[in-house]
Amino acid sequence: MIAKALTIAGSDSGGGAGIQADLKTFTALGVYGMSAITAITVQNTVGVFGVHPVPPDIVYGQIKAVAEDIGIDALKTGMLFSQEIIEVVSQAIKDFKLNNLVVDPVMIAKSGDPLLKESARKTLLEKLLPLALIVTPNIPEAEDICKMEIKSIEDMEKACKIIHSLGSKYIVLKGGHLEGDVKVDVIYDGKEFHYLKAKSIPTKNTHGTGCTFSAAITSFLAKGESPIDAIKKAREYIQGAIENSLSLGKGHGPLNHTWNLPVSFSNNRVNTSK
């Protein structure tokens, strides 16, 4: 039976992040993708110019409709925006006994625009994170959650322990914001650390990296992979998506979500050489 994954996130009109990136990732990794939209954003590679949240009861209804009919093998959250939306998402996860939850604690867009109300931060930490199997913060998000500066691998390890104490089982702290030719992601399972190293790619086209990474983890969980293996395979996929990123727009261009497929895009040209 085909693996099924749900993304609960905002819509990116530019197509590089949010619901659009998640569904592309699900498809590229052979998973049937479904969505519950939390907000409509006016967005492109340059910035976020408007946010219109979906009514919380409609968000809950989308999750209910999918869970009761099609079923969900794994799910992820992205942009949740408000306290009210976080509350109904958390309730739906409990009501429908949804497992394999990946939380991407989206707070700020690549452009620097806020995607989570300050009033919602506490609700995210107290109600959603304890339900998560895996949480995937980047360094600015981890700094906000932990109220500390992160300048080294040792700081990342300390932050992982703090975030783990909030109730999530696995923490993946992404090291992309640290300087260096090699980027290191730190994984913490409550007992030991694991380290994923990858070559730094000199490109500005990284819009949607966090969404895509968490969606890839969700895909592999839906297919039955263990959390650690799902994270490792997702890291390999995201590396390829960055290495083959697309030069679109005037700001931070998108990743190439189809780089691993026989027919893919290569800077606006279809690439069938794979």
Side-chain angles (χ1 to χ4, degrees):
M1 184 177 293
I2 188 169
K4 305 173 293 293
L6 171 69
T7 170
I8 306 170
S11 171
D12 172 8
S13 51
I19 289 286
Q20 288 80 358
D22 294 343
L23 292 177
K24 292 173 187 177
T25 302
F26 291 162
T27 299
L29 294 174
V31 173
Y32 181 75
M34 303 164 290
S35 63
I37 298 176
T38 59
I40 298 170
T41 69
V42 180
Q43 185 175 174
N44 55 25
T45 66
V46 177
V48 179
F49 306 99
V51 175
H52 180 73
V54 172
D57 63 319
I58 299 299
V59 175
Y60 183 95
Q62 293 175 82
I63 301 170
K64 180 177 187 289
V66 171
E68 291 185 337
D69 178 34
I70 301 171
I72 302 165
D73 296 313
L75 68 159
K76 63 151 288 187
T77 62
M79 175 187 179
L80 297 176
F81 188 65
S82 71
Q83 175 183 340
E84 294 78 12
I85 291 175
I86 295 171
E87 287 174 346
V88 299
V89 168
S90 301
Q91 190 61 50
I93 290 168
K94 291 185 285 188
D95 288 349
F96 303 109
K97 298 179 174 59
L98 303 180
N99 298 313
N100 292 327
L101 170 64
V102 179
V103 173
D104 182 15
V106 176
M107 297 178 178
I108 301 172
K110 184 72 65 179
S111 59
D113 298 288
L115 297 176
L116 180 71
K117 287 185 174 180
E118 181 59 33
S119 60
R121 181 184 174 279
K122 182 179 179 182
T123 308
L124 177 72
L125 302 185
E126 293 183 354
K127 292 198 172 182
L128 190 61
L129 259 59
L131 303 176
L133 174 64
I134 300 172
V135 180
T136 63
N138 59 29
I139 284 177
E141 290 160 349
E143 287 180 330
D144 184 275
I145 293 170
C146 301
K147 300 304 179 187
M148 61 175 283
E149 282 193 332
I150 298 175
K151 302 295 185 184
S152 65
I153 300 297
E154 290 73 21
D155 291 340
M156 293 175 71
E157 292 172 345
K158 182 178 178 181
C160 281
K161 288 185 175 181
I162 293 172
I163 299 172
H164 185 271
S165 72
L166 299 175
S168 306
K169 294 180 176 63
Y170 292 82
I171 313 302
V172 186
L173 180 43
K174 299 170 291 188
H177 287 80
L178 291 186
E179 297 295 328
D181 295 332
V182 175
K183 302 299 183 182
V184 180
D185 297 337
V186 177
I187 305 169
Y188 183 60
D189 62 7
K191 295 180 180 179
E192 60 182 336
F193 291 100
H194 306 262
Y195 307 90
L196 300 181
K197 297 180 181 181
K199 179 180 63 176
S200 180
I201 307 301
T203 177
K204 68 172 184 175
N205 300 324
T206 55
H207 181 55
T209 302
C211 303
T212 302
F213 180 53
S214 56
I217 294 172
T218 306
S219 298
F220 288 115
L221 289 174
K223 294 167 79 170
E225 298 284 354
S226 69
I228 295 295
D229 285 343
I231 294 165
K232 289 180 178 179
K233 290 184 177 182
R235 188 63 187 82
E236 293 174 0
Y237 169 78
I238 195 71
Q239 185 72 10
I242 296 172
E243 289 177 353
N244 295 277
S245 63
L246 304 175
S247 296
L248 296 172
K250 301 173 182 177
H252 295 283
L255 309 184
N256 186 347
H257 297 90
T258 61
W259 71 272
N260 62 323
L261 300 181
V263 177
S264 184
F265 295 99
S266 178
N267 287 319
N268 301 323
R269 296 185 299 276
V270 175
N271 179 5
T272 59
S273 61
K274 291 185 176 65

